[in-house]
Amino acid sequence: MSDSINFNIIGIAHTPYKQKFGIPRQPGLAPDIPGTLVINPPFNREEAFRSIEEFSHLWVSFVFHGIQQNKWQAMVRPPRLGGNKKVGVFASRSTHRPNPLGLSVVKLESIEIKPQQLLLHISSHDLLDQTPVVDIKPYLPYSDAIETASNGYAPAPESNLYEVKFSKQSLDFIDRWQHQQAENLKSQLVSILSQDPRPAYSKDDPQRQSYGMKLYNLDIQFSIENNCMKIDDITQI
Ligand code: SAM
């Protein structure tokens, strides 16, 4: 057997996350963020997905295509340890692995079959826009959910860690935007920002108080004020 294996890209994830900053560190943390897996030919055949709608959740294997260069490291600094302590790469979910493969459980919302096109509408994911998908399998709770499993150094995050506030300007923008789009932008921003997307190293930087994040075609400007996330402004890119 040779030392490398080629995989087929079976589809591409289309998601509102246009940059890595702001994406939850695991799926399930921002449940209302939508996404669509657009399946590539020749895999976009209806029969290849027949009965998939019987499952509420799917395992999605994907390629971390957005990393700068795939330099794997034996030890990494997980954000959950504040970026200070190192653990082995295989004891982490780091993107800097020998093979840049990611694995996420996502919620299957619906399947849409059009002529020449098959779409899986999903939510509750952590996928950068344009992520190449290499496999999809049903999630089986009887086998995959292990109630007695231990979390190691990564205990479940507290829910809604930060309160999220909106400036009048940003609320006016959201009102206008939601009028045209089906998405509930306000609740999506709360679910993303309440998780505190800031990298560990910038949290202690007193100079760094304001941040920008791209979601859909929007530039979201926010700052930290009295331990609250405050959305200062939203503009269309
Ligand atoms: N749930 C996956 C896993 O365990 O393999 C991903 C975990 S990884 C810690 C999650 C981070 O990967 C996200 O916060 C996002 O910044 C990053 N990410 C998501 N899709 C990516 C992509 N296509 N390329 C590079 N980074 C990506």
Side-chain angles (χ1 to χ4, degrees):
M1 191 167 156
S2 76
D3 287 346
S4 65
I5 297 172
N6 287 328
F7 285 125
N8 293 304
I9 296 173
I10 64 156
I12 298 290
H14 293 247
T15 83
Y17 297 124
K18 306 300 174 194
Q19 62 175 164
K20 286 185 281 175
F21 180 57
I23 305 181
R25 294 185 184 107
Q26 290 300 333
L29 297 176
D32 48 357
I33 305 297
T36 301
L37 307 182
V38 179
I39 307 302
N40 290 337
F43 313 107
N44 58 350
R45 291 163 51 178
E46 180 275 326
E47 60 269 35
F49 291 86
R50 200 169 295 162
S51 299
I52 201 168
E53 69 285 352
E54 293 175 20
F55 297 91
S56 62
H57 290 78
L58 303 174
W59 286 109
V60 177
S61 305
F62 60 94
V63 177
F64 289 120
H65 77 299
I67 51 176
Q68 305 236 299
Q69 33 172 215
N70 192 35
K71 272 204 207 145
W72 83 279
Q73 294 157 3
M75 295 198 81
V76 295
R77 296 174 194 274
R80 295 300 299 277
L81 292 174
N84 301 321
K85 209 182 142 211
K86 285 186 170 183
V87 300
V89 66
F90 298 118
S92 84
R93 299 281 188 108
S94 167
T95 56
H96 296 284
R97 333 182 60 78
N99 296 307
L101 291 175
L103 184 63
S104 293
V105 177
V106 305
K107 183 161 193 292
L108 175 63
E109 296 289 348
S110 62
I111 174 166
E112 187 179 353
I113 300 166
K114 297 181 182 176
Q116 307 300 316
Q117 227 189 5
L118 195 145
L119 311 173
L120 296 179
H121 297 293
I122 60 166
S123 62
S124 210
H125 64 85
D126 57 354
L127 305 174
L128 181 65
D129 190 35
Q130 302 301 315
T131 292
V133 173
V134 290
D135 203 8
I136 296 170
K137 293 177 183 172
Y139 172 85
L140 297 179
Y142 80 84
S143 151
D144 298 347
I146 301 169
E147 278 172 23
T148 53
S150 57
N151 286 297
Y153 61 82
E158 289 168 39
S159 58
N160 288 354
L161 206 57
Y162 276 80
E163 189 188 344
V164 182
K165 290 183 172 171
F166 292 81
S167 68
K168 164 97 178 56
Q169 209 172 338
S170 66
L171 283 176
D172 289 346
F173 182 93
I174 289 170
D175 264 359
R176 290 196 303 275
W177 195 80
Q178 284 184 176
H179 228 71
Q180 296 155 10
Q181 321 275 334
E183 313 301 345
N184 188 342
L185 182 59
K186 191 173 175 208
S187 78
Q188 292 183 10
L189 287 172
V190 171
S191 63
I192 294 170
L193 289 185
S194 61
Q195 308 285 330
D196 188 1
R198 293 175 297 159
Y201 61 82
S202 86
K203 288 185 188 175
D204 303 326
D205 180 354
Q207 309 297 320
R208 185 78 198 270
Q209 291 299 330
S210 49
Y211 297 82
M213 180 187 112
K214 292 187 174 47
L215 192 75
Y216 297 102
N217 60 342
L218 305 174
D219 188 9
I220 318 285
Q221 294 294 322
F222 65 97
S223 52
I224 320 301
E225 201 181 87
N226 302 328
N227 250 1
C228 274
M229 296 281 163
K230 171 144 181 272
I231 304 203
D232 298 308
D233 201 7
I234 305 178
T235 49
Q236 212 135 0
I237 300 167

